[in-house]
C-alpha cells in the first residue's frame, strides 16, 4: 500500500469531570461491538468530513445529552494507525442537570478515581487511567498538567 493511501482511524475521547468525579459510559452488552458491557470515557469515531472538535461535540451530545461549555482539546495520542483526540470538560451544576443517556450505552455514571480502578473498563480506558492516574487526579483537582505529562502530542 502506498503511504498516501494509508488512512488512520480517528476517534475522540473526553474526560468529563464534575466535583472530583469522571463521567463514564457503560457500553451496550451486544457481542457484535468492540468491548461490550465495559465502561469507557465519552467519545467515539470521527466521521468523514468532521474535525476532532465537531466529532467530540456530536459524541458528547449523542451519548450524554450535553454540550459542555468548557470542552477543551488537550492533544492527541497516535498508536498503531489510530489517532485519538483527547478533550477535558469541567461541568457546571446546570450542565450536570442536562445529562441523559443517549441512544448508545446502558448507563452513565460519575466515578471517583478509586472507583474507576475497580471497574471493568475497555482496554484503552484501562491503560490510560492506569498509566496517567496521578496526572488525571491533578486534572480533576484543576491543577496544571502539560500535554507531555498526559502522554499527548499537539
Amino acid at each position: 500500500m502506498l503511504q498516501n493511501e494509508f488512512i488512520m482511524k480517528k476517534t475522540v475521547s473526553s474526560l468529563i469531570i464534575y466535583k472530583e468525579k469522571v463521567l463514564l459510559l457503560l457500553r451496550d452488552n451486544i457481542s457484535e461491538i468492540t468491548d461490550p458491557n465495559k465502561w469507557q470515557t465519552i467519545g467515539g469515531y470521527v466521521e468523514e468530513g468532521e474535525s476532532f472538535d465537531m466529532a467530540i461535540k456530536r459524541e458528547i451530545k449523542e451519548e450524554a445529552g450535553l454540550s459542555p461549555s468548557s470542552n477543551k482539546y488537550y492533544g492527541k495520542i497516535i498508536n498503531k494507525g489510530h489517532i485519538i483526540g483527547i478533550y477535558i470538560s469541567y461541568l457546571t451544576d446546570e450542565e450536570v442537570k442536562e445529562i441523559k443517556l443517549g441512544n448508545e450505552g446502558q448507563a452513565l455514571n460519575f466515578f471517583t478515581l478509586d472507583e474507576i480502578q475497580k471497574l471493568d473498563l475497555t482496554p484503552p480506558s484501562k491503560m490510560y487511567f492506569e498509566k496517567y492516574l496521578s496526572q488525571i487526579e491533578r486534572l480533576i483537582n484543576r491543577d496544571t498538567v502539560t500535554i507531555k505529562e498526559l502522554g499527548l502530542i499537539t
Side-chain angles (χ1 to χ4, degrees):
M1 178 185 295
L2 298 173
Q3 190 158 347
N4 64 354
E5 292 180 59
F6 183 71
I7 298 173
M8 295 185 96
K9 181 168 77 169
K10 293 181 183 178
T11 58
V12 288
S13 180
S14 185
L15 283 175
I16 299 176
I17 300 166
Y18 179 69
K19 293 191 177 178
E20 300 181 1
K21 293 185 176 186
V22 178
L23 182 65
L24 297 179
L25 171 79
L26 180 60
R27 293 177 60 78
D28 287 315
N29 193 12
I30 302 170
S31 60
E32 292 79 28
I33 66 170
T34 305
D35 303 320
N37 209 39
K38 293 186 184 285
W39 291 94
Q40 69 172 31
T41 56
I42 304 298
Y45 288 104
V46 177
E47 294 177 357
E48 190 171 331
E50 275 187 324
S51 65
F52 279 160
D53 286 349
M54 292 165 58
I56 197 64
K57 287 176 185 173
R58 177 183 50 75
E59 287 290 345
I60 293 172
K61 189 70 172 170
E62 286 176 0
E63 293 178 359
L66 291 171
S67 299
S69 57
S70 73
N71 200 33
K72 179 183 176 192
Y73 175 76
Y74 258 67
K76 61 190 171 198
I77 299 169
I78 299 178
N79 184 16
K80 299 178 185 172
H82 187 183
I83 301 173
I84 307 166
I86 304 293
Y87 288 77
I88 312 292
S89 298
Y90 296 97
L91 298 182
T92 65
D93 291 340
E94 289 304 310
E95 288 170 335
V96 167
K97 294 174 187 174
E98 297 173 21
I99 294 173
K100 66 178 183 298
L101 183 63
N103 58 359
E104 294 179 32
Q106 304 174 67
L108 289 165
N109 204 354
F110 282 99
F111 297 97
T112 65
L113 287 181
D114 286 341
E115 292 168 334
I116 288 170
Q117 293 176 72
K118 297 171 187 161
L119 292 174
D120 189 10
L121 298 169
T122 62
S125 291
K126 182 176 178 64
M127 179 280 306
Y128 198 79
F129 277 106
E130 285 177 353
K131 189 170 184 178
Y132 299 103
L133 187 64
S134 65
Q135 294 89 332
I136 294 169
E137 183 174 19
R138 287 171 43 211
L139 280 173
I140 288 171
N141 293 322
R142 295 183 181 247
D143 295 336
T144 301
V145 181
T146 67
I147 64 168
K148 185 176 181 182
E149 289 176 299
L150 289 166
L152 306 175
I153 60 174
T154 54

